[in-house]
Amino acid sequence: MAHEAKSLSTPTGSAPIDVEADAIQAIGMGIAQPDDATALRREEAGADYEVALESLNQWQLAWRKFRHHRLALMGLGILASFFIIALVGPIVWPFDFNTIPQPDVIVYQGRPPSLVHPFGETGGLQRDVLNLVINGARTSLFIGFSSMALGVLIGTIVGSLAGFIGGVLDNVLMRTVDVFLSIPLLFLILVASRFFGNGNVMLIVMIFAFFSWMGIARLVRSLFLSIREREFVEAARAVGVRDRRIIFRHILPNAISPIVVSASLIVAANIISEAFVSFLGFGVNPIYPTWGNILSNALTFIPLGNWWWPFFPGLMIILTVLAVNFVGDGLRDALDPRTRA
Amino acid sequence: MTDQATTPTPDTDETPVAAPTPADAPTPIRATPGVLEGEEPSVEALERDWQRDGGEVPSEEPLADPAHGIVEGEALLRVSGLKKHFPVYGGLLRRQVATVYAVDGVDFEVRKGDVFSLVGESGCGKTTLGRTVLRLVEPTAGTVHFGALDVTRLKSSELRRLRSKMQIVFQDPFGSLNPRMPVSDIIGEGLIAQGLTDRKARDRRVGDALEAVGLRRDYTRRYPHEFSGGQRQRIGVARALALEPDFIVLDEPVSALDVSIQSQVLNLLLDLRKDFDLTYLFISHNLSVIEYVSDRVGVMYLGQIVELASSEELYRSPRHPYTLALLSAIPDPDPRRRHKRLVLKGDVPSPVNPPAGCHFHTRCWLREQLGNPEQCVSAEPDLRELMPGHKAKCHFAEQVSGAKAAEFAAEHSTVVPAVVDA
Amino acid sequence: MTAEATVAEISVTIGERPAGTAPGEDILLDVRGLQTHFHVMDGTVRAVDGVSFSVPRGGTVGLVGESACGKSVTALTIMRLLDIPPAEIVGGEVWFDGREILALPEEEMRHLRGNDIAMIFQEPLTSLNPVLTVGDQISEQVRLHLKVDKKEGLGRAIESLRTVGIPNPEQRVKQYPHEMSGGMRQRVMIAMALSCEPKLLIADEPTTALDVTIQAQILELLKAVQERTKSALMLITHDLGVVAEMVDEIVVMYAGQIVEQGTAEQVLTRPMDPYTMGLIESLPSVKKRGGRLSAIKGVVPSPFNLPPGCRFAPRCPYVWDACRTTSPELIPVGGHGQRARCLLHTPAGAPRRAAVFDTAASSGTTAGHGA
Ligand SMILES: Nc1ncnc2c1ncn2[C@@H]1O[C@H](COP(=O)(O)OP(=O)(O)OP(=O)(O)O)[C@@H](O)[C@H]1O
Ligand SMILES: Nc1ncnc2c1ncn2[C@@H]1O[C@H](COP(=O)(O)OP(=O)(O)OP(=O)(O)O)[C@@H](O)[C@H]1O
Ligand code: SF4
Ligand code: SF4
Ligand SMILES: [Mg+2]
Ligand SMILES: [Mg+2]
């Protein structure tokens, strides 16, 4: 057999067959064609597709779409400023439990906002509410976000294993999720905080994480099940790509946007839970301010009509939750490949 | 035009293509069959691996290439008795309640250098067959021989290495490219998987593959959404081509494309076949496309091949009533040739419960014309050889003719009922 | 530049019928200089850009063209089913049955839809309500438009299912859309569309999602029903084979504009626009076996970045300098009602014309050499 297969890179112009084919082409369209089949092929393919000459990767594209989402941008702004406050505030203006600003004056209901104390003063020890809120931000945001991160990590691992490996493991893991979901959550958090918490922030983070991974696990499992069937995964398998790479390069990146969205919901939920647990007295050690602690202290004084004391930490919680939700919303749109900017 | 006229019209077999390889030209990949240039684990080591793992391969064959030594016209792929049944789960306990007979006993051969086509309606099992051949789907029964290798009995590590020899191009140019990956990774990851870890060599091969499909080398940093449908399909072809396969399954490669783009991609595929000595299993439901590209055609109905013939034979003298109906259903773009259609009754039955006897009997016009012979329902016909190289799965294949079909079409000109209620 | 081109266009294409006046009695649908744009993030998509054609009473017109050339948007604009915004009907008139309907109040338009104009879509599952039985859906439509009672509505529904070849319609009316196959659902859509005996039936790719044997059934059905009810048919498709079988007149669209129109025979056997010519020649057929197909090179231009001058210029094999600067108009060619949008048919293109159309004419025979 004389015919030698060409290698991919061999110039194809030397194949007389193609010249003949070109002749047909040329007659058909009434024009002279280049006698190089590769050039012809390239010409047929179209020099350029003009839609996107600028090459944007997934994140650049997402950012472009995100920018057009006004609420999400606002949310991002709020979150960013809260983070800066949480990082810088306590350094500039620290809180010390043992330093009591005005030990001799005790106004039972505190003082309303004034120029010196824009958020007012607490009852009892006359602490500055702004100072408390700033110092509380660090712990509250830390709890909200890190418990989310941990929960998402656990949920993603469990969901991936269940969805990718399937079979018995899938059954075991998913039944575990069911069990966790059927436990009355709040009650367990309270009990767990009581026994293991001791007001320690890290432990509280772990407890929250431990109870916020189930939704993510279910989501990730179903994403894995559906993305696994997508053609590009099959195509990767067809060229011999190994499972690990399929998980990390193909499935997870395509699962990211729903995960991000539900993660944002978890942050919001956990910040609220922190406030709630603290309010019930099972949260972070009350000698450290958190938004929840401030709120819970304030509420015992509520009958005295000192609205400013619970109002500002409450406002912070609401703003954070809203901001996180808006950002999540924006991210969902931005990461959805079906919507083109 | 004159110098084109003087160009000799060569026969593929006679013209050795002297490939000039200047020193600075991109590295030819086919230097040694099946050996990837720039591999990290040494070539020898890989070959040794292959030899150790592939116990069934005769030792005198160069084991890295099971297709080696097969010349044009000899069978490169032999499929026999292939079945794929999918279980259907249902009920509270998710027990198996039924079986989809997606591919139900298929035999055929693909000769080296040929385009073998599978045609049939939606759900008849074309895609499943194509994927089972590559063992992307595990067969329920039957064997697939690729050269000397029995694909159905390979271990997964062997199978992964065989991937460089047998490739697939998918139908959906949007769904088959990972939207989160740049082109360089989409095409390059197969090379990584096959052991080409050297970045530079890989980039060169990716560029070569892009060039071969008519795209620019510098497209590698772009993402799939930056390309049109036809260009994406070219990327899909480049992904398969980069591995230097001998055999490619083309699963409806042009069905999702616009008319004007379809012909570009068909041209490309046929060019590449010549240039790289490829063998195709071409899957489509478009009979005009099939007629244009194929050497041999298998017509599928409900998981089985009902007619198998060379392309000319099949279109000139179809021998199965279903084939005839399919051909008659093609709308003809020439308005001067409005023909009387032979329209089949009803829908394709579900592959969960294929009809007894001849699967086609619920819709068969010939059976109706012959006065509903019992045989069609009671006995499943064989895929019989009627003439050398022409097989049909019908008890009455000898009686199938265009004249009979026209007669039937003329008698049944009213609105065709949708289903035959059993 | 575009504004000028469009004004010129309107005056050319609807020269006989000045804007604001009704077309003749024999014309059921008259679309004049229709322009529909979409305002999206990246800019404005001129999806339909000066489209004019008409459908005679009882006539059949096919709208063909590649994906995204504006076929569906044309139909949806006529039906007034577009969301405004992002869509905007920038200009043009649509005369239906002697009335201009773009300015009609929504209430009257709703009456028109379903009663006088009916539309069937490519994917019937998305246009049927999944939680209602098909009987309920058809009878609801019938009752809304014909003001009959519930019982008669159901009777009509059963009758119309029978006419589209669904056996046991008495049983089938009780089924839900998902319990039927694709072909059956399309039959239900046709039954629904025809239940009120519309004057115009718009079918947007009615068979594209169907198998070839089912497509054959549906096409035969459409033909039979159309002949019987004498309703006009506007068929949208990208399949030249389907239009060849189904319609008398063809409108070819490219990038939002009509590039050629004429009778089916004219357009399919003697195309006068290079795009149509390329489209027809690129069809695979056994005659071309062994040779290359004559593909149209390149890709459809981005709607945000249409080429100046002729929109087909970047892909056209006959392009010359003038094409890149001058926008051709849709002008009469050959004197039998055929029109094409190509500079070759203007005085400027006269020197090149002979060469193009002589080669094209001979290509039918030469292409056969490949086999
Ligand atoms: N993973 C699966 N599980 C269960 N059934 C399946 C699976 N894959 C395919 N099937 C069924 O097997 C049958 C054959 O499907 P297949 O996709 O091979 O058909 P096809 O001929 O390629 O059709 P199309 O033209 O629509 O692509 C169908 O009835 C389908 O529903
Ligand atoms: N709702 C919408 N918003 C924005 N752009 C749109 C919208 N609908 C249609 N378009 C744009 O209008 C143009 C014409 O679209 P249209 O749906 O009419 O194409 P078509 O000819 O029907 O194509 P196909 O054959 O794919 O159905 C396209 O560029 C499309 O992207
Ligand atoms: S065996 Fe009978 S039913 Fe089957 S194809 Fe032949 S004639 Fe038709
Ligand atoms: S005007 Fe020019 S570019 Fe446009 S179709 Fe005619 S010849 Fe081609
Ligand atoms: Mg398929
Ligand atoms: Mg459309």
Side-chain angles (χ1 to χ4, degrees):
Chain A
M1 224 220 59
H3 180 70
E4 271 284 321
K6 272 177 280 180
S7 93
L8 257 182
S9 41
T10 312
T12 43
S14 51
I17 309 142
D18 297 316
V19 178
E20 196 248 354
D22 288 348
I24 293 158
Q25 163 87 2
I27 296 162
M29 296 296 279
I31 43 158
Q33 293 286 347
D35 63 351
D36 182 347
T38 315
L40 179 63
R41 222 173 277 163
R42 194 170 319 143
E43 203 187 343
E44 276 186 7
D48 243 314
Y49 189 58
E50 298 104 278
V51 158
L53 284 177
E54 20 150 15
S55 192
L56 297 171
N57 69 27
Q58 178 196 354
W59 299 108
Q60 289 166 314
L61 198 76
W63 173 237
R64 226 178 85 172
K65 285 191 266 184
F66 190 85
R67 269 187 338 212
H68 289 271
H69 203 299
R70 212 172 297 147
L71 282 177
L73 271 189
M74 223 163 71
L76 193 65
I78 293 175
L79 278 188
S81 47
F82 282 12
F83 269 107
I84 292 170
I85 291 170
L87 283 177
V88 182
I91 298 167
V92 180
W93 188 11
F95 169 82
D96 181 359
F97 184 74
N98 297 316
T99 314
I100 296 163
Q102 291 154 302
D104 44 337
V105 194
I106 292 182
V107 183
Y108 229 76
Q109 72 195 80
R111 290 210 186 92
S114 63
L115 277 181
V116 194
H117 304 288
F119 283 13
E121 281 177 295
T122 68
L125 296 177
Q126 306 299 303
R127 296 192 195 273
D128 182 278
V129 177
L130 180 60
N131 179 261
L132 287 175
V133 164
I134 287 175
N135 283 276
R138 193 183 265 191
T139 324
S140 288
L141 292 178
F142 178 75
I143 291 177
F145 280 87
S146 46
S147 63
M148 174 275 283
L150 206 56
V152 167
L153 190 70
I154 300 172
T156 307
I157 292 172
V158 171
S160 312
L161 289 175
F164 197 82
I165 296 175
V168 180
L169 185 67
D170 179 22
N171 262 324
V172 170
L173 291 176
M174 283 305 111
R175 293 303 79 79
T176 313
V177 167
D178 291 345
V179 168
F180 265 81
L181 283 174
S182 63
I183 295 170
L185 239 191
L186 187 69
F187 174 72
L188 247 181
I189 290 181
L190 292 181
V191 172
S193 316
R194 186 82 198 139
F195 284 98
F196 312 109
N198 297 329
N200 182 321
V201 172
M202 286 320 283
L203 274 170
I204 295 216
V205 165
M206 301 244 226
I207 291 166
F208 279 12
F210 204 59
F211 288 102
S212 51
W213 58 272
M214 293 84 74
I216 295 275
R218 279 198 165 168
L219 176 75
V220 169
R221 172 179 176 268
S222 69
L223 286 169
F224 262 68
L225 288 180
S226 77
I227 298 174
R228 205 175 60 169
E229 300 300 320
R230 299 263 294 274
E231 253 180 14
F232 62 80
V233 173
E234 184 129 37
R237 207 164 268 145
V239 292
V241 176
R242 284 158 199 275
D243 286 353
R244 214 171 40 165
R245 193 179 154 93
I246 287 187
I247 293 177
F248 287 106
R249 293 301 310 277
H250 289 272
I251 303 184
L252 275 178
N254 282 287
I256 220 94
S257 61
I259 295 179
V260 163
V261 175
S262 29
S264 76
L265 296 178
I266 293 180
V267 172
N270 285 356
I271 287 179
I272 293 178
S273 299
E274 186 271 328
F276 193 72
V277 173
S278 297
F279 174 66
L280 295 178
F282 294 92
V284 177
N285 190 338
I287 65 167
Y288 304 111
T290 69
W291 292 343
N293 274 340
I294 309 169
L295 207 61
S296 78
N297 286 335
L299 292 181
T300 51
F301 286 78
I302 258 293
L304 301 177
N306 47 3
W307 60 268
W308 57 90
W309 189 356
F311 174 77
F312 288 104
L315 184 68
M316 289 299 145
I317 292 174
I318 292 172
L319 278 181
T320 311
V321 169
L322 277 181
V324 167
N325 278 330
F326 288 155
V327 170
D329 229 29
L331 280 178
R332 186 190 51 213
D333 291 352
L335 293 176
D336 185 353
R338 281 169 305 182
T339 64
R340 284 266 299 128
Chain B
M1 216 148 275
T2 35
D3 52 291
Q4 276 156 357
T6 58
T7 316
T9 320
D11 198 349
T12 337
D13 293 51
E14 296 170 2
T15 321
V17 180
T21 320
D24 60 345
T27 340
I29 305 161
R30 270 283 161 86
T32 347
V35 174
L36 302 171
E37 184 243 3
E39 269 165 336
E40 221 25 86
S42 81
V43 171
E44 290 78 12
L46 270 186
E47 282 201 331
R48 244 181 292 121
D49 271 9
W50 189 290
Q51 284 179 349
R52 204 187 42 234
D53 297 350
E56 299 146 46
V57 183
S59 54
E60 64 269 23
E61 289 272 327
L63 290 161
D65 186 1
H68 188 78
I70 294 175
V71 296
E72 201 128 326
E74 280 178 12
L76 178 65
L77 186 84
R78 274 176 292 125
V79 173
S80 52
L82 197 65
K83 290 186 183 177
K84 177 65 202 181
H85 299 171
F86 292 106
V88 180
Y89 297 102
L92 273 180
L93 297 173
R94 295 191 25 86
R95 265 195 303 236
Q96 183 174 350
V97 290
T99 305
V100 183
Y101 298 90
V103 175
D104 201 17
V106 164
D107 306 83
F108 64 90
E109 274 185 11
V110 182
R111 293 186 307 223
K112 186 169 167 61
D114 267 9
V115 179
F116 181 91
S117 293
L118 288 171
V119 63
E121 290 178 276
S122 178
C124 69
K126 307 182 292 294
T127 299
T128 307
L129 177 52
R131 292 181 189 189
T132 315
V133 163
L134 297 186
R135 243 182 93 189
L136 287 169
V137 172
E138 289 296 328
T140 308
T143 58
V144 176
H145 279 272
F146 180 67
L149 274 185
D150 183 350
V151 179
T152 50
R153 291 171 62 184
L154 291 182
K155 283 183 265 166
S156 70
S157 60
E158 298 164 325
L159 191 62
R160 200 160 33 238
R161 247 165 300 148
L162 186 71
R163 296 280 181 231
S164 70
K165 298 285 149 218
M166 301 172 85
Q167 267 306 308
I168 180 166
V169 173
F170 295 89
Q171 165 172 8
D172 179 3
F174 293 86
S176 61
L177 305 181
N178 186 342
R180 317 271 196 205
M181 263 196 189
V183 169
S184 56
D185 286 2
I186 289 175
I187 301 177
E189 86 179 339
L191 297 170
I192 299 177
Q194 299 298 331
L196 183 61
T197 45
D198 177 56
R199 171 113 216 168
K200 267 221 186 96
R202 196 166 68 232
D203 286 349
R204 202 161 52 223
R205 286 253 306 244
V206 170
D208 293 344
L210 278 176
E211 204 144 77
V213 299
L215 295 175
R216 290 210 314 244
R217 300 185 83 90
D218 52 5
Y219 279 168
T220 46
R221 279 186 48 246
R222 294 192 172 192
Y223 284 81
H225 66 84
E226 296 170 58
F227 294 92
S228 70
Q231 290 176 327
R232 282 159 170 254
Q233 198 58 307
R234 285 168 192 264
I235 294 172
V237 174
R239 167 171 55 198
L241 207 62
L243 294 180
E244 302 241 300
D246 295 307
F247 171 76
I248 306 185
V249 174
L250 302 162
D251 188 0
E252 313 238 14
V254 299
S255 304
L257 305 176
D258 265 328
V259 192
S260 77
I261 308 297
Q262 277 192 10
S263 46
Q264 292 177 1
V265 174
L266 286 177
N267 278 345
L268 171 72
L269 291 171
L270 293 184
D271 282 356
L272 293 175
R273 178 173 71 120
K274 271 186 210 155
D275 290 357
F276 300 112
D277 229 1
L278 299 170
T279 305
Y280 289 158
L281 174 63
F282 191 99
I283 295 173
S284 178
H285 61 262
N286 184 327
L287 287 138
S288 323
V289 169
I290 294 259
E291 183 176 24
Y292 170 69
V293 300
S294 331
D295 297 303
R296 290 182 64 74
V297 183
V299 179
M300 283 189 78
Y301 190 77
L302 281 179
Q304 301 181 326
I305 289 187
V306 294
E307 184 161 9
L308 192 67
S310 72
S311 178
E312 297 89 52
E313 268 280 310
L314 189 93
Y315 283 79
R316 187 158 36 87
S317 54
R319 281 276 164 254
H320 194 281
Y322 177 62
T323 312
L324 222 84
L326 273 184
L327 292 177
S328 162
I330 314 174
D332 189 335
D334 190 338
R336 293 166 298 193
R337 289 195 300 248
R338 290 199 183 183
H339 65 293
K340 188 90 203 116
R341 268 240 192 75
L342 173 73
V343 184
L344 287 183
K345 285 182 301 195
D347 294 317
V348 184
S350 154
V352 173
N353 246 327
C358 173
H359 285 1
F360 186 55
H361 82 253
T362 53
R363 305 171 80 198
C364 183
W365 57 272
L366 181 64
R367 172 167 175 261
E368 199 174 324
Q369 202 171 37
L370 294 176
N372 298 328
E374 190 49 37
Q375 203 181 352
C376 298
V377 188
S378 57
E380 184 177 332
D382 294 327
L383 186 61
R384 294 183 288 142
E385 184 140 34
L386 300 165
M387 271 164 281
H390 192 157
K391 298 179 180 176
K393 195 179 173 72
C394 169
H395 293 304
F396 305 100
E398 285 77 8
Q399 305 195 34
V400 176
S401 72
K404 283 218 158 158
E407 190 185 310
F408 185 85
E411 285 165 16
H412 298 73
S413 51
T414 46
V415 172
V416 201
V419 273
V420 203
D421 275 8
Chain C
M1 171 222 90
T2 10
E4 286 161 26
T6 334
V7 171
E9 215 162 70
I10 295 171
S11 63
V12 168
T13 45
I14 58 170
E16 315 100 69
R17 292 187 296 274
T21 56
E25 252 306 293
D26 53 327
I27 300 295
L28 178 67
L29 175 76
D30 198 25
V31 178
R32 304 175 186 172
L34 194 64
Q35 283 178 287
T36 308
H37 295 180
F38 288 97
H39 301 289
V40 290
M41 215 180 269
D42 281 348
T44 297
V45 181
R46 285 178 277 156
V48 175
D49 201 9
V51 161
S52 309
F53 65 94
S54 57
V55 181
R57 280 180 201 280
T60 49
V61 172
L63 213 56
V64 295
E66 286 180 85
S67 185
C69 70
K71 306 180 296 292
S72 297
V73 174
T74 303
L76 293 172
T77 312
I78 295 171
M79 291 290 278
R80 299 238 325 251
L81 283 174
L82 286 171
D83 286 331
I84 299 176
E88 183 193 351
I89 301 176
V90 178
E93 294 177 356
V94 175
W95 288 81
F96 178 78
D97 208 9
R99 277 198 295 179
E100 208 290 316
I101 60 172
L102 286 186
L104 227 51
E106 182 53 37
E107 196 51 43
E108 280 181 60
M109 194 60 213
R110 200 170 312 138
H111 181 76
L112 209 61
R113 279 197 293 263
N115 242 0
D116 292 336
I117 314 179
M119 185 158 174
I120 53 183
F121 297 90
Q122 171 171 347
E123 181 33 77
L125 199 55
T126 55
S127 30
L128 288 170
N129 187 337
V131 298
L132 290 180
T133 64
V134 296
D136 283 348
Q137 296 188 53
I138 304 177
S139 70
E140 187 182 287
Q141 168 132 359
V142 172
R143 281 165 52 208
L144 213 66
H145 292 285
L146 299 184
K147 309 269 182 282
V148 294
D149 64 15
K150 200 165 176 171
K151 199 159 161 235
E152 187 175 348
L154 196 65
R156 282 234 181 193
I158 291 172
E159 211 34 60
S160 60
L161 285 184
R162 200 189 309 280
T163 53
V164 294
I166 292 184
N168 287 343
E170 295 84 0
Q171 306 299 317
R172 296 281 174 183
V173 286
K174 294 181 200 142
Q175 286 189 325
Y176 291 91
H178 68 87
E179 297 175 83
M180 304 182 141
S181 69
M184 286 252 264
R185 288 195 287 258
Q186 199 56 286
R187 284 173 193 259
V188 169
M189 279 302 289
I190 294 176
M192 204 143 118
L194 294 173
S195 61
C196 299
E197 291 163 11
K199 294 179 181 135
L200 174 66
L201 178 64
I202 301 180
D204 189 354
E205 313 250 9
T207 58
T208 307
L210 302 176
D211 269 325
V212 26
T213 59
I214 310 297
Q215 160 169 306
Q217 291 174 358
I218 298 293
L219 292 181
E220 292 297 321
L221 171 69
L222 265 181
K223 250 191 276 187
V225 171
Q226 196 255 340
E227 260 163 41
R228 195 171 58 227
T229 60
K230 299 281 180 287
S231 65
L233 174 70
M234 179 173 142
L235 179 74
I236 298 176
T237 174
H238 60 261
D239 188 331
L240 293 174
V242 170
V243 275
E245 294 217 348
M246 298 291 296
V247 303
D248 302 327
E249 284 192 48
I250 294 182
V251 171
V252 185
M253 287 185 72
Y254 184 78
Q257 296 179 321
I258 294 180
V259 293
E260 177 152 11
Q261 65 188 88
T263 64
E265 176 146 2
Q266 284 170 342
V267 173
L268 292 175
T269 61
R270 289 183 304 282
M272 286 295 170
D273 184 84
Y275 173 65
T276 324
M277 289 157 68
L279 213 54
I280 292 170
E281 286 207 18
S282 67
L283 292 178
S285 87
V286 70
K287 272 193 300 185
K288 300 171 189 161
R289 249 182 93 91
R292 287 174 69 90
L293 292 169
S294 52
I296 300 178
K297 67 183 182 187
V299 298
V300 179
S302 151
F304 302 107
N305 193 8
L306 291 173
C310 175
R311 290 183 186 176
F312 188 54
R315 309 177 71 189
C316 181
Y318 313 117
V319 60
W320 81 97
D321 303 344
C323 308
R324 299 203 176 88
T325 51
T326 320
S327 300
E329 282 154 17
L330 192 63
I331 49 175
V333 180
H336 299 284
Q338 191 172 2
R339 291 163 185 272
R341 186 187 295 276
C342 174
L343 292 177
L344 286 170
H345 301 293
T346 63
R352 297 159 182 278
R353 238 188 109 175
V356 170
F357 289 94
D358 286 352
T359 8
S362 64
S363 73
T365 49
T366 42
H369 285 324

